[in-house]
Amino acid sequence: MKNLESNYYNPVFSHIYVEKEVKENARTQRILNQFPHAVRIEIDHYKDVFCRSNQNYCLQHKSQSLIIAAKHGELIYKGAPVCQSFGNEYFYYTSCMMNCIYDCEYCYLKGMYPSGSMVIFVNIEEIFAQVEKILEEHPVYLCVSYDTDMMAMEHVTGYVKEWVEFSKKHENLKIEIRTKCAGQKIFEEICPQENVIFAFTLSPQEIITRYEHGTPPLSGRIGCAMQALLKGFSVRLCFDPVIYCTDWKKQYEEMINEVWSHMNPQKIVDVSVGSFRVSQDYLKNMRKSEPYSCVVQFPFQNDGGVYHYPDSLMEEMELFVTEKLKETIPEEKIFRWENKEG
């Protein structure tokens, strides 16, 4: 079946749509040069392709197209309730890209976006300008890799480097770059910054195999985090989302033990714990996209528009992982998501 699919579907980024506004942009040209055999289609606006009706997210993801565009208007958003602020008062996020190269069944992007295509916004200077405007009023904690995995696309965009360089100029800015990537090369190409945190999402290998399609194995993610620590970078470990399976206690205990067998917990900035949760609107679309997924079709509980595991199971799972982490990590370094609506 894998061989059949590889012959049936187009290669990733075999088709690239380019907005007229950015076709001469230097970043656009650098990206296009990496895909010399791709079919190029000129468009007026990215939404003409990305927001078409009756698209099939999952089928499109099997042969992802790329859209190169500019984004205007509001570019910085306040952090969502389902996300963790890690004690930061001024919590924001931004999106230099939309959609992800990975294909996790439980990814909220499948409920958020109508298309499986990836969008890269090449006018990143406008995003920087809006951040600087907010920084004039107060400090900013900014997540720059929520709606994509920026690290996994670094070889295409170079945006991790650009954000690190930007952070050097602003002491009152703290950014988080979250990833499931295992690519270590980036840590040879940039210098550590105290206000840049690389956050690695870790899952048991069984969960990765079942639900996190196309992502690196747990060992690869641990190795990448270890390399970041070795080079002096700030590292956060995210045990989030915790996903239910029949032997979840065994799976998560073995994973945590494996993590600490390789990494020094004293060097970790902090860790996060949170079970799977998603807005009700997103889950409705996700269930259409993933009709046979055990993780997406689970009978979740709805509190204030947020679907999550039933209270007793959610508490049991999050408490188990938290208590296991407390055996090695000080409690003040553990951030657990709380459902403020429930």
Side-chain angles (χ1 to χ4, degrees):
M1 178 61 71
K2 287 186 178 180
N3 290 334
L4 177 62
E5 287 192 350
S6 65
N7 292 329
Y8 184 79
Y9 294 105
N10 290 322
V12 171
F13 301 160
S14 65
H15 290 68
I16 302 179
Y17 298 85
V18 183
E19 280 188 349
K20 293 177 182 177
E21 177 186 344
V22 301
K23 65 180 182 179
E24 303 300 332
N25 183 284
R27 289 193 185 88
T28 299
Q29 293 303 313
R30 285 199 298 269
I31 294 170
L32 290 174
N33 288 340
Q34 296 182 62
F35 304 96
H37 301 296
V39 177
R40 303 179 185 183
I41 305 101
E42 193 172 289
I43 58 175
D44 291 320
H45 196 279
Y46 78 92
K47 289 185 178 180
D48 296 339
V49 176
F50 193 75
C51 297
R52 290 178 299 183
S53 59
N54 300 319
Q55 298 186 83
N56 187 309
Y57 187 105
C58 291
L59 283 179
Q60 287 179 331
H61 203 285
K62 291 181 181 296
S63 55
Q64 261 187 321
S65 295
L66 178 61
I67 304 172
I68 304 176
K71 189 174 185 182
H72 302 295
E74 186 180 8
L75 304 176
I76 310 297
Y77 313 96
K78 290 188 176 181
V82 295
C83 302
Q84 295 197 43
S85 66
F86 295 91
N88 294 279
E89 182 178 0
Y90 301 105
F91 169 34
Y92 297 86
Y93 76 96
T94 189
S95 300
C96 302
M97 291 179 270
M98 297 165 64
N99 267 332
C100 185
I101 197 71
Y102 299 139
D103 188 23
C104 300
E105 288 185 16
Y106 59 78
C107 182
Y108 72 92
L109 299 179
K110 294 183 176 182
M112 181 177 178
Y113 295 141
S115 172
S117 299
M118 177 173 284
V119 182
I120 297 175
F121 297 113
V122 292
N123 59 328
I124 192 172
E125 289 85 2
E126 292 187 36
I127 298 176
F128 291 159
Q130 286 199 12
V131 174
E132 289 177 328
K133 189 172 182 179
I134 300 173
L135 287 169
E136 292 175 0
E137 302 177 8
H138 52 66
V140 170
Y141 171 67
L142 183 68
C143 294
V144 300
S145 191
Y146 266 5
D147 295 343
T148 190
D149 193 313
M150 187 179 293
M151 280 270 287
M153 288 291 290
E154 179 64 7
H155 63 293
V156 176
T157 66
Y159 279 178
V160 172
K161 296 187 188 73
E162 294 209 46
W163 275 109
V164 172
E165 286 300 313
F166 180 72
S167 72
K168 293 179 181 179
K169 307 171 188 176
H170 303 286
E171 293 183 358
N172 56 341
L173 169 67
K174 183 190 299 182
I175 69 171
E176 184 209 72
I177 300 172
R178 189 166 298 205
T179 187
K180 294 177 180 175
C181 185
Q184 303 179 16
K185 184 180 178 182
I186 184 66
F187 301 115
E188 304 288 343
E189 300 173 344
I190 58 176
C191 296
Q193 299 295 318
E194 289 186 4
N195 57 341
V196 178
I197 298 172
F198 286 87
F200 293 86
T201 299
L202 303 180
S203 301
Q205 185 56 50
E206 183 67 21
I207 297 297
I208 293 172
T209 301
R210 288 187 194 178
Y211 305 121
E212 299 182 3
H213 309 301
T215 66
L218 175 61
S219 59
R221 301 182 202 181
I222 292 174
C224 191
M226 289 172 59
Q227 182 68 8
L229 287 173
L230 181 65
K231 295 295 184 179
F233 291 88
S234 297
V235 169
R236 165 178 294 149
L237 300 182
C238 302
F239 302 94
D240 183 1
V242 177
I243 300 293
Y244 174 80
C245 59
T246 53
D247 59 345
W248 64 267
K249 285 186 178 181
K250 174 178 179 292
Q251 295 292 336
Y252 280 90
E253 182 172 13
E254 289 180 353
M255 175 192 64
I256 292 171
N257 289 339
E258 182 176 354
V259 170
W260 299 141
S261 71
H262 294 284
M263 271 189 279
N264 182 351
Q266 304 307 316
K267 293 186 177 182
I268 302 298
V269 171
D270 53 39
V271 301
S272 70
V273 177
S275 54
F276 176 80
R277 69 273 183 193
V278 68
S279 80
Q280 61 183 8
D281 294 333
Y282 293 171
L283 184 62
K284 180 180 178 180
N285 293 329
M286 291 165 66
R287 284 176 167 168
K288 290 180 181 178
S289 295
E290 294 283 1
Y292 305 110
S293 171
C294 294
V295 64
V296 174
Q297 299 297 334
F298 191 94
F300 297 107
Q301 174 181 322
N302 189 335
D303 279 324
V306 175
Y307 274 105
H308 57 81
Y309 291 115
D311 285 337
S312 57
L313 178 59
M314 178 179 68
E315 178 68 17
E316 182 182 10
M317 293 173 69
E318 293 184 5
L319 187 61
F320 177 85
V321 174
T322 300
E323 291 299 317
K324 184 65 182 175
L325 290 170
K326 282 166 63 175
E327 295 175 6
T328 311
I329 290 282
E331 187 172 2
E332 59 269 21
K333 283 191 172 186
I334 302 174
F335 290 84
R336 179 180 168 189
W337 178 76
E338 296 180 5
N339 181 19
K340 299 179 178 62
E341 299 292 339

